[in-house]
Amino acid sequence: GDGARVPALIIGSGYGGSVAALRLAQAGVDVHMIEMGKSWDTPGSDGKIFANTRTPDDRSFWLRTRTKQPLSNFLGFPIDKNVSRHTGILDAEEFSGITVYQGRGVGGGSLVNGGMAVTPNRERFGAILPSVDADEMYDVYYPRANAGLGVNEIDRAWFDTTDCYQYARVGRKHAERSGFDFVYVPNVYDFNYMKQEAAGNVPRSALAAEILYGNNHGKKSLQQTYLAQAAATGRVTISPLHRVTSVTPAPSGGYTVTIEQLNTGGGVTATKTVTAGKVFFAAGSVGTSKLLVKLKATGALPGLNNEVGKGWGDNGNVMCGRANHMWDATGSLQSSIPTVGIDNWEEGGAFAEVAPLPTGIETYASFYLSITNTPHRAQFSYNAGTGGVDLNWQTSWKQTSIDMAKSIFDKINRKEGTIYRTDLFGFYKIWGDHLTYHPLGGAVLGKATDNHGRLHGHPGLYVIDGSLIPGNTSVNPFVTITALAERNIDKIIDTDL
Ligand code: FAD
């Protein structure tokens, strides 16, 4: 409630925030989590909590009056539509030069993402975060994160025969014929549940095209894993539809946190303050960076250093489709959960996931989301004119990522005698280069913070989310975000409580 004092306050309920909540609570600390999105535990008028990908509605987007679907076109035609402004689940946040997709609600990105749970190869991790003891990460924290998240692997024999992964088998065949390393990718979607879907025994989710706007079944989001365990301790309170706007040192010690309560139309219905002994920034790379940059610039947290806002990257995300021959049908039934990838990181700087196009009809298309080794990093800065925070990303920087992705798909196209699809992102546009699903950085470990996420200049303030990672993880990021949070909270509980 207003004016309360809490030992630990966590801003955001995604991966970093959920790890911090569980481990602090297990250590006996009472935790208050503040989450600007909805709780996503109540069915809508159709009896379902989450909207379907094929029929986005008010639940689908964060405070927009028109959808902004990542795949904006089909057969060249725009498919976006009007919706009413609502605190929906997927935020397509627009900065100049890039749209950053993020989850909104209790569970953060785990609500909307594809569940691909990838532990990067150890050498690549070492290059990204050289100050982190890799032995400890691979012996203790990656295994702990994988267990906590409920990561599982697809049954290969089932993969080889099920209709819903025909598209992925076509992807495998093409990758292998061009000599690329083909990898099976673990996931937090329960593959046993998916088998039951295919058999017609349970309600369909992955096999009903659910993804992006939430999965009604099968996926173990943070609500089912870390946050369920955290709730069971009895020490964690979550306030959904509450947004943190300020954190500043309190006269009596600790920090005064200002919080706006929102209605589902996005309006502010109340403003509250809470005093917190320790504050954990877990608002995601963009959310944490925006808060810190603004709080430094406006003098609320004057001790933050000049690294705040720097080192932001898009994980090199770029999307494309390929048009297959008629004999390489990809199937009308496609599991929305990707489970395979093409690894050309060492040679060409790209790791591509074979993604579904779950339209429900045969498209003869192969679709890919590539993660690339782009060197480009942007910076957030406070805009005193608008009171907002800008990002200086350059659209042209994506060309580096496109070139890296082409190291895979130009070769496959030559080998197969095929071409790129030009109808998925606009009229005659091959590359989905306007967006990222994987924002990373902005409060980089060892720069804006010490080697365990303690913010420089203000004891008792911590960063514990994707903003610690300097712009790239070489693979999909959430397992690394979770493992790094496990490592940092272990240290913080040992030494700071
Ligand atoms: P988040 O999970 O983003 O959580 C931050 C939370 O803080 C959010 O719930 C937000 O609403 C809240 N918040 C923000 N600001 C405030 C504020 N001021 N006050 C209160 N609350 C606030 N990664 C993978 O590894 N595999 C995948 O398959 C994958 N697929 C993806 C697909 C999509 C469509 C998207 C969008 C992302 C995908 N990702 C995937 C990325 C992954 O989801 C993110 O990297 C991850 O969620 C980031 O974790 P985090 O803890 O840093 O922050």
Side-chain angles (χ1 to χ4, degrees):
D2 195 16
R5 252 200 110 86
V6 295
L9 183 140
I10 300 175
I11 309 169
S13 61
Y15 293 92
S18 298
V19 170
L22 174 60
R23 301 309 175 199
L24 287 166
Q26 287 175 332
V29 180
D30 288 325
V31 176
H32 191 172
M33 298 182 93
I34 310 294
E35 168 55 54
M36 70 193 234
K38 300 205 300 183
S39 54
W40 298 108
D41 53 7
T42 313
S45 54
D46 60 355
K48 292 183 174 157
I49 293 176
F50 302 111
N52 194 278
T53 320
R54 291 181 195 142
T55 50
D57 61 26
D58 298 355
R59 288 170 290 190
S60 303
F61 282 87
W62 178 257
L63 303 181
R64 280 185 168 271
T65 53
R66 192 166 171 78
T67 65
K68 194 174 173 73
Q69 301 182 66
L71 273 166
S72 54
N73 291 66
F74 186 61
L75 304 174
F77 294 101
I79 55 173
D80 280 312
K81 64 179 202 188
N82 295 337
V83 287
S84 52
R85 196 177 142 85
H86 185 82
T87 48
I89 200 161
L90 184 63
D91 194 354
E93 189 170 359
E94 291 179 79
F95 291 96
S96 79
I98 194 163
T99 301
V100 184
Y101 283 88
Q102 298 152 89
R104 294 284 173 247
V106 174
S110 79
L111 295 165
V112 298
N113 68 33
M116 296 182 82
V118 196
T119 299
N121 131 343
R122 192 176 166 132
E123 285 64 48
R124 293 177 207 167
F125 174 83
I128 292 159
L129 287 169
S131 68
V132 175
D133 180 346
D135 285 341
E136 221 178 48
M137 286 297 287
Y138 284 79
D139 292 348
V140 180
Y141 299 112
Y142 272 114
R144 188 174 294 176
N146 277 288
L149 293 165
V151 174
N152 71 155
E153 292 188 28
I154 195 163
D155 169 349
R156 303 275 169 91
W158 187 66
F159 174 86
D160 280 337
T161 53
T162 181
D163 287 349
C164 70
Y165 281 118
Q166 186 180 335
Y167 76 95
R169 293 194 299 273
V170 170
R172 174 176 66 185
K173 181 174 74 178
H174 291 171
E176 287 179 341
R177 284 211 293 233
S178 285
F180 291 116
D181 287 339
F182 182 84
V183 293
Y184 294 87
V185 175
N187 205 289
V188 296
Y189 197 96
D190 181 345
F191 286 114
N192 287 322
Y193 188 88
M194 202 189 295
K195 275 186 184 173
Q196 294 301 308
E197 291 179 52
N201 299 334
V202 293
R204 287 185 162 193
S205 182
L207 270 53
E210 288 183 353
I211 190 80
L212 285 178
Y213 312 133
N215 284 84
N216 286 297
H217 311 279
K219 194 166 88 180
K220 288 182 228 148
S221 75
L222 290 166
Q223 289 179 325
Q224 282 84 36
T225 58
Y226 276 93
L227 288 172
Q229 269 192 278
T233 66
R235 291 190 175 276
V236 179
T237 309
I238 308 182
S239 297
L241 289 171
H242 281 70
R243 177 172 58 203
V244 171
T245 56
S246 180
V247 178
T248 194
S252 55
Y255 292 88
T256 304
V257 182
T258 309
I259 304 165
E260 292 175 342
Q261 183 168 8
L262 307 177
N263 61 31
T264 55
V268 177
T269 56
T271 302
K272 309 171 181 178
T273 61
V274 170
T275 307
K278 299 188 184 317
V279 177
F280 292 82
F281 288 83
S285 161
V286 173
T288 292
S289 300
K290 286 197 307 188
L291 275 171
L292 293 177
V293 161
K294 182 168 180 175
L295 296 175
K296 176 174 166 58
T298 56
L301 293 176
L304 298 178
N305 72 16
N306 285 325
E307 292 292 336
V308 163
K310 290 185 184 165
W312 187 85
D314 67 341
N315 212 23
N317 281 188
V318 67
M319 294 176 175
C320 68
R322 293 181 37 258
N324 291 316
H325 295 294
M326 300 290 273
W327 57 83
D328 270 337
T330 45
S332 55
L333 175 67
Q334 302 197 359
S335 169
S336 64
I337 297 299
T339 191
V340 295
I342 304 168
D343 190 349
N344 195 38
W345 191 263
E346 303 308 332
E347 298 73 21
F351 173 80
E353 64 186 61
V354 179
L357 267 181
T359 58
I361 59 169
E362 177 60 55
T363 61
Y364 300 98
S366 289
F367 184 56
Y368 308 90
L369 168 63
S370 298
I371 292 163
T372 64
N373 195 7
T374 173
H376 301 296
R377 297 293 181 270
Q379 183 177 349
F380 290 96
S381 55
Y382 183 61
N383 183 330
T386 63
V389 174
D390 299 333
L391 180 68
N392 66 350
W393 181 264
Q394 307 295 309
T395 308
S396 61
W397 289 349
K398 285 281 194 184
Q399 190 58 47
T400 316
S401 294
I402 291 172
D403 292 341
M404 289 172 171
K406 280 161 75 90
S407 76
I408 297 176
F409 306 115
D410 278 4
K411 188 168 178 191
I412 291 179
N413 277 340
R414 268 197 308 276
K415 179 80 183 174
E416 302 297 326
T418 50
I419 56 171
Y420 289 101
R421 288 285 284 234
T422 56
D423 61 328
L424 300 171
F425 301 103
F427 180 70
Y428 211 84
K429 182 162 166 42
I430 291 175
W431 296 96
D433 59 355
H434 57 298
L435 61 80
T436 185
Y437 285 173
H438 300 162
L440 292 166
V444 170
L445 190 83
K447 293 192 167 168
T449 74
D450 76 355
N451 198 30
H452 289 87
R454 300 177 185 94
L455 273 161
H456 289 305
H458 290 284
L461 295 187
Y462 306 86
V463 174
I464 192 150
D465 59 16
S467 39
L468 292 171
I469 296 169
N472 204 295
T473 46
S474 81
V475 291
N476 315 61
F478 75 61
V479 175
T480 297
I481 294 169
T482 305
L484 193 64
E486 289 279 20
R487 165 194 180 266
N488 293 350
I489 201 69
D490 229 8
K491 184 70 160 192
I492 291 162
I493 287 169
D494 270 2
T495 58
D496 295 15
L497 294 183

